[in-house]
């Protein structure tokens, strides 16, 4: 089925036979399209290691730059993938659709074998624009450095990226009482991992200073999960809700 509005830029087939699916995938590869296949498949990888996924419902994406990604219905990361620069190949074997991604340096092979194909699509297009990031942690840092009272009255920033044995602190400063303050910045809602990271910085800085040093830890983010909130309280750490500036 070809979308008449876009001509040969798009092609979608529902439940094609393996030979029909093979031909559609081959056409998409030949014209430099993004090709996707969804259906019941196994995934076999051989290269720097060896892995095999038993049959499951998965989504395969082939990009014109040679990248290949296999996704399941969970998570954002592919369960297997090949980087740009690989060669795509498609065929049929034993009544099944077989799609391969081949890399020569190092020698790697990803083979996705579909026993059932539910959909094949090919999309041709271009995107000349680069990603423009806004609302980054650096934006959040600059916002606090320019207006320290956003953190609290009397806060004085003294350094950014201050080294500690646990890593670099986003902002190091002092509060109105002269106590050391470690500020950890996050641009999105955060969970327990961010609290653990802040706690490591506080512990490291207390050891770096002197035995009776009082070091406060403040997590700055738009919001935290309930679990993170409980951990902050449990470890004597603090939270300030603040978002990066919008453009």
């Amino acid at each position: 089925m070809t979308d008449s509005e876009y001509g040969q830029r798009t092609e979608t087939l529902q439940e094609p036979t393996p030979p029909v699916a093979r031909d559609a995938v081959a056409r998409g590869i030949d014209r430099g399209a993004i090709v996707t296949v969804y259906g019941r498949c196994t995934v076999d990888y051989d290269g720097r290691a060896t892995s095999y996924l038993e049959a499951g419902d998965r989504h395969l994406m082939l990009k014109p730059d040679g990248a290949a990604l296999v996704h399941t219905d969970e998570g954002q990361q592919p369960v297997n993938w090949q980087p740009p620069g690989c060669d795509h190949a498609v065929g049929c074997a034993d009544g099944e659709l077989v799609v391969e991604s081949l890399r020569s340096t190092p020698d790697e092979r990803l083979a996705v074998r579909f026993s059932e194909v539910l959909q094949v699509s090919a999309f041709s297009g271009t995107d000349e624009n680069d990603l423009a990031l806004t609302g980054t942690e650096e934006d959040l840092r600059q916002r606090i450095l320019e207006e320290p009272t956003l953190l609290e009255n009397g806060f004085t920033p003294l350094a950014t990226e201050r080294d500690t044995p646990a890593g670099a602190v986003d902002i190091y400063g002092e509060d109105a009482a002269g106590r050391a303050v470690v500020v950890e910045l996050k641009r999105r809602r955060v969970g327990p991992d961010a609290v653990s990271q802040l706690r490591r910085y506080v512990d490291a800085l207390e050891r770096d200073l002197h035995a009776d040093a009082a070091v406060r830890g403040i997590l700055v983010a738009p919001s935290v999960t309930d679990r993170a909130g409980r951990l902050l309280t449990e470890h004597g750490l603090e939270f300030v809700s603040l978002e990066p500036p919008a453009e």
Side-chain angles (χ1 to χ4, degrees):
M1 178 179 67
T2 302
D3 187 331
S4 59
E5 181 181 354
Y6 292 98
Q8 294 302 311
R9 291 182 61 189
T10 66
E11 181 180 11
T12 298
L13 303 174
Q14 303 287 344
E15 299 183 6
T17 64
V20 172
R22 174 200 60 204
D23 293 345
V25 172
R27 285 193 299 272
I29 293 173
D30 287 345
R31 73 169 192 263
I34 296 174
V35 178
T36 67
V37 185
Y38 182 77
R40 190 102 182 144
C41 65
T42 60
V43 183
D44 189 4
Y45 168 80
D46 186 45
R48 290 168 294 179
T50 299
S51 66
Y52 183 76
L53 281 172
E54 296 286 353
D57 295 333
R58 301 184 182 103
H59 177 273
L60 169 67
M61 177 182 290
L62 306 175
K63 295 188 178 184
D65 65 0
L69 304 98
V70 181
H71 282 276
T72 67
D73 61 346
E74 294 182 343
Q76 66 184 34
Q77 299 295 332
V79 293
N80 217 322
W81 60 280
Q82 289 274 67
C86 296
D87 293 321
H88 303 317
V90 60
C92 289
D94 300 324
E96 297 182 333
L97 175 70
V98 182
V99 183
E100 293 183 314
S101 175
L102 306 169
R103 189 182 186 196
S104 58
T105 308
D107 188 15
E108 293 180 298
R109 173 180 173 271
L110 179 68
V112 185
R113 191 180 185 106
F114 288 88
S115 58
E116 181 182 11
V117 179
L118 298 179
Q119 180 171 304
V120 173
S121 295
F123 311 93
S124 297
T126 59
D127 185 352
E128 298 84 5
N129 298 303
D130 293 327
L131 180 66
L133 290 177
T134 60
T136 64
E137 288 178 9
E138 179 58 30
D139 293 332
L140 187 57
R141 187 199 331 255
Q142 290 303 319
R143 186 179 180 191
I144 293 174
L145 293 177
E146 292 169 5
E147 194 175 351
T149 55
L150 289 171
L151 197 67
E152 66 179 27
N153 289 328
F155 174 69
T156 302
L158 300 176
T160 61
E161 297 298 323
R162 185 192 192 283
D163 286 332
T164 75
V169 172
D170 287 331
I171 299 177
Y172 171 73
E174 289 184 351
D175 64 13
R179 291 174 295 182
V181 179
V182 170
V183 182
E184 176 63 19
L185 307 174
K186 298 295 181 184
R187 64 185 293 265
R188 293 176 176 160
R189 177 178 173 86
V190 295
D193 287 350
V195 180
S196 298
Q197 183 180 11
L198 176 60
R199 186 186 181 193
R200 289 194 298 270
Y201 291 154
V202 169
D203 290 345
L205 197 56
E206 286 178 340
R207 291 192 298 269
D208 255 10
L209 298 176
H210 48 79
D212 60 348
V215 179
R216 295 172 58 197
I218 301 178
L219 178 61
V220 178
S223 62
V224 298
T225 64
D226 291 343
R227 173 63 176 156
R230 291 193 295 270
L231 286 175
L232 286 166
T233 301
E234 180 181 326
H235 298 309
L237 303 172
E238 303 165 57
F239 169 66
V240 172
S241 177
L242 191 63
E243 295 190 3
E247 289 295 321

